[in-house]
Amino acid sequence: MDNEKRTLLALGLMMAFLYVWFEYFIPKPVRTPTPAATPAPGATIAGTPSAKEAAEAPKRRDGPASSVIPLKEWSAETPLMHLRWTNRPGTPAEILLKKYRTTAAKDAAPVAVVPFRGEAPPPLRWELEIEGQRWSDENASYTEVSRGDAEVTYETSVGPDLFLRKKFSWNPKNYSIEASVEILNRRSQAVKAKAITRLSSRAEEAKGSMLSQPPDNVRVAAFINETSVRVEKKAIPSQPSADLSAWKPLPEGNIDWAGFDSRYFLMALIPVEGRWSEVRLNSDADALRIDMALIYPPREIAPSGSASYRVQFFTGPKDIGVLEASSAASLDRAIDLGDWLGPIARPILFFLRWLHSLLPNYGVAIILLTIVVRLLMFPLAHMQAKSMKKMQQHKPELDAIREKYKDNKEAQARETMNYMRKYKVNPMGGCLLLLPQMPIFFALYRVLYNSIELRHAPFFLWIHDLSAHDPYYVTPVILGVLMVMQQRLTPTPGVDPAQQTMMKIMPVIFSALMLFLPAGLTLYILVSTLWGVAQQYWVQGGWTVAPAPAKT
């Protein structure tokens, strides 16, 4: 193969590597929801069916007009959350997380998990299908039946002698709100009702590039049949019809929880009493919103009877300790550590948190974690380095065989194999020893990229947020220098000048890719590379490689 073809092959392999890396190993995190703008007067609220849409679905009736019951809002405080409630439509209108800020600045606003305001549809609402008609409380006004320090009860009329009662209660020590919903039938005959919980989230999609930190975009997250399910907004078609059967379904089966997540935060519903039969999705390109319909099986409500549903409404950080303490045992799977990497990544995350409990600086914890991992991998890495050095020592003899039999490929292969067998040289030894290390390195990457523990966590001097890129690009530049040093120490037997040139520019390309990645992740790669340089220097016995063996 001539130099030009080898150069093209090297370029192709490099681009394939970058594509696989960014497509499968860099998670596509999501943006923390921001308050939606209030629509202009007279504008149609996205998601509300038009007259044409209503004809395609069961007839829909809203609750009592807002003029009947005046708007009533009030706030509740817990050590973790600020809750703003509204009786229209009897739901949380805003939830602010007191311990988490939108930026690293001390005076930054707290994170708003429920971002809708004004005329935008509420994030959590209920619909009923009764006798061929669909009723929604999206525009309904509720009567406040009772209110305590950590609970509130709302009630509204659905139709003649039919009522919907919602009771919310919350624990000041966690991020969950329990919603108990009861359909009250005061009629003299039975009623067949189908309940639907509607959950909505703003989903602004920002575009990133290969040389920038990927944006934080909202996506659908669920845990179904013991498997994590994640759906990006772009994969959800916009369906103007109000007919839920036309919406995109999630996989059927046992649904542990469903909702929306961002890179660091989660808004999810967990069924406690009553199980959903299916979950369907819809998106709205204009309103930048995702709608989720969590559909219960139909139930027959006896005369003067009731039907009850109960869900946990979790709105909080994707902190593994917080998630594991929730009512859903699988809620910790909302942290995107990967399905097959998860069993490796989770112990690493717990170990990182333990290190931080000893030394309360996550930058120092990352350094110690990297050192521990490199120590565990040292035997394999050392064998790999020795194998590459051995190949370098035997390179002149192998080159001589190739030159001697350049016109006879069969003889060249035979003599090369005989030589390798005689001197116990394995050209794949270095690569094979690298394979067991890859899952651990990728798991480390997942942990450092998705851990909320690093969000706004300072390191030292100019690095004030380990989840953001190095503002002065010092660590990526140092990383590039270390990669050049490591390259000088790494034997490259059988590599022609064109390929060597390509390898020389790889540190520059890799450093450019690291410019806008989180500082915590860059710190891990930097420390790991520094360890690799020191280990390679030790194996090689300095900056010069050992001479080739004497010819026999």
Side-chain angles (χ1 to χ4, degrees):
M1 184 182 294
D2 56 29
N3 290 344
E4 290 76 8
K5 290 182 179 180
R6 291 183 178 181
T7 301
L8 289 175
L9 178 61
L11 280 171
L13 291 174
M14 182 179 70
M15 294 306 296
F17 170 80
L18 293 176
Y19 173 82
V20 172
W21 177 267
F22 279 89
E23 184 68 20
Y24 297 102
F25 293 106
I26 288 190
K28 302 174 178 60
V30 289
R31 171 172 301 180
T32 302
T34 55
T38 302
T44 301
I45 300 176
T48 302
S50 62
K52 180 180 178 181
E53 296 162 1
E56 301 174 3
K59 185 176 179 182
R60 170 174 165 167
R61 298 181 301 171
D62 290 330
S66 59
S67 59
V68 176
I69 302 174
L71 176 66
K72 185 177 182 181
E73 294 189 348
W74 58 283
S75 297
E77 302 289 338
T78 77
L80 302 175
M81 299 185 292
H82 166 84
L83 307 172
R84 182 167 63 87
W85 295 89
T86 175
N87 69 325
R88 193 180 300 162
T91 191
E94 182 180 58
I95 300 179
L96 302 179
L97 306 184
K98 294 182 176 180
K99 292 188 175 182
Y100 299 92
R101 302 285 168 175
T102 53
T103 68
K106 292 183 179 180
D107 58 348
V111 169
V113 176
V114 179
F116 296 99
R117 296 175 183 269
E119 297 179 23
L124 177 62
R125 52 201 188 277
W126 284 74
E127 293 181 359
L128 301 176
E129 287 185 10
I130 300 175
E131 299 174 350
Q133 293 182 322
R134 183 186 296 172
W135 175 90
S136 172
D137 70 356
E138 182 173 317
N139 299 315
S141 292
Y142 280 74
T143 299
E144 186 180 291
V145 177
S146 64
R147 187 204 305 178
D149 293 336
E151 64 178 38
V152 61
T153 302
Y154 292 107
E155 187 174 301
T156 192
S157 173
V158 177
D161 297 322
L162 201 61
F163 302 90
L164 185 69
R165 179 178 294 170
K166 298 192 291 190
K167 179 181 179 181
F168 296 93
S169 58
W170 54 95
N171 187 333
K173 297 181 180 180
N174 60 41
Y175 292 94
S176 293
I177 301 171
E178 184 171 285
S180 299
V181 178
E182 194 173 11
I183 306 171
L184 306 172
N185 179 18
R186 297 293 179 255
R187 299 178 182 178
S188 57
Q189 70 273 8
V191 171
K192 192 172 184 179
K194 182 179 182 179
I196 302 166
T197 307
R198 291 283 295 274
L199 193 63
S200 300
S201 182
R202 191 165 177 80
E204 292 180 287
E205 286 196 316
K207 295 182 179 180
S209 65
M210 189 173 288
L211 295 181
S212 66
Q213 186 168 337
D216 290 347
N217 292 325
V218 169
R219 62 184 175 182
V220 171
F223 195 72
I224 304 174
N225 297 328
E226 303 298 320
T227 302
S228 298
V229 177
R230 295 180 176 87
V231 183
E232 302 288 339
K233 183 180 184 297
K234 61 185 178 183
I236 304 172
S238 181
Q239 176 55 255
S241 174
D243 183 6
L244 297 181
S245 63
W247 291 17
K248 178 183 177 67
L250 285 183
E252 296 181 354
N254 184 34
I255 306 166
D256 282 6
W257 55 266
F260 305 99
D261 77 342
S262 64
R263 183 174 169 190
Y264 295 123
F265 300 98
L266 174 68
M267 180 171 74
L269 285 177
I270 307 161
V272 178
E273 182 180 350
R275 307 291 297 185
W276 303 310
S277 59
E278 56 180 326
V279 178
R280 291 184 173 269
L281 310 174
N282 191 24
S283 68
D284 192 297
D286 296 330
L288 298 172
R289 195 178 80 241
I290 304 175
D291 287 312
M292 178 182 293
L294 304 116
I295 305 169
Y296 291 92
R299 294 176 63 177
E300 186 172 284
I301 308 175
S304 301
S306 64
S308 298
Y309 307 88
R310 195 152 51 98
V311 296
Q312 286 281 348
F313 185 35
F314 179 89
T315 56
K318 289 163 67 173
D319 180 299
I320 195 165
V322 172
L323 297 176
E324 286 192 335
S326 68
S327 59
S330 60
L331 202 61
D332 64 301
R333 299 293 290 273
I335 304 175
D336 191 4
L337 298 177
D339 290 328
W340 65 277
L341 288 174
I344 303 174
R346 280 177 177 77
I348 291 175
L349 176 55
F350 281 113
F351 185 62
L352 178 66
R353 289 162 60 99
W354 179 77
L355 288 174
H356 180 261
S357 68
L358 300 178
L359 298 167
N361 184 304
Y362 269 108
V364 176
I366 289 172
I367 293 173
L368 293 177
L369 173 65
T370 309
I371 292 173
V372 170
V373 170
R374 293 293 301 205
L375 281 172
L376 292 175
M377 292 292 101
F378 181 80
L380 285 176
H382 189 63
M383 291 170 63
Q384 176 193 4
K386 290 177 67 175
S387 176
M388 295 177 70
K389 180 181 179 181
K390 191 172 184 179
M391 279 297 299
Q392 177 71 8
Q393 292 172 335
H394 290 271
K395 182 179 180 299
E397 289 294 326
L398 293 171
D399 288 344
I401 292 174
R402 280 192 286 269
E403 180 63 26
K404 181 178 180 180
Y405 299 99
K406 62 181 179 181
D407 297 326
N408 188 340
K409 297 298 181 183
E410 184 179 347
Q412 182 187 110
R414 184 179 63 253
E415 293 301 320
T416 300
M417 291 302 297
N418 289 337
Y419 182 88
M420 289 183 177
R421 192 179 298 111
K422 178 180 179 181
Y423 292 100
K424 295 183 174 58
V425 178
N426 184 2
M428 296 299 294
C431 298
L432 293 175
L433 291 169
L434 184 64
L435 291 178
Q437 304 174 54
M438 297 304 291
I440 295 177
F441 293 147
F442 285 130
L444 268 167
Y445 175 87
R446 285 277 191 172
V447 168
L448 297 178
Y449 196 91
N450 291 291
S451 296
I452 194 172
E453 288 81 359
L454 303 187
R455 185 178 185 268
H456 301 166
F459 180 32
F460 78 108
L461 298 178
W462 69 93
I463 300 179
H464 304 294
D465 184 357
L466 287 167
S467 68
H469 67 82
D470 185 331
Y472 301 110
Y473 310 109
V474 175
T475 48
V477 171
I478 296 175
L479 175 61
V481 173
L482 288 174
M483 291 183 70
V484 171
M485 295 171 62
Q486 188 175 34
Q487 204 172 72
R488 285 190 57 193
L489 288 166
T490 303
T492 53
V495 178
D496 61 33
Q499 291 173 314
Q500 288 181 356
T501 302
M502 182 59 60
M503 293 177 65
K504 287 178 181 178
I505 67 172
M506 280 302 293
V508 177
I509 295 175
F510 196 77
S511 296
L513 296 177
M514 298 301 297
L515 288 177
F516 295 98
L517 289 184
L521 180 60
T522 307
L523 179 63
Y524 149 64
I525 298 177
L526 189 153
V527 175
S528 183
T529 305
L530 180 61
W531 180 285
V533 169
Q535 181 172 312
Q536 195 71 32
Y537 183 87
W538 174 47
V539 172
Q540 296 293 350
W543 292 105
T544 57
V545 297
K551 293 185 180 181
T552 58

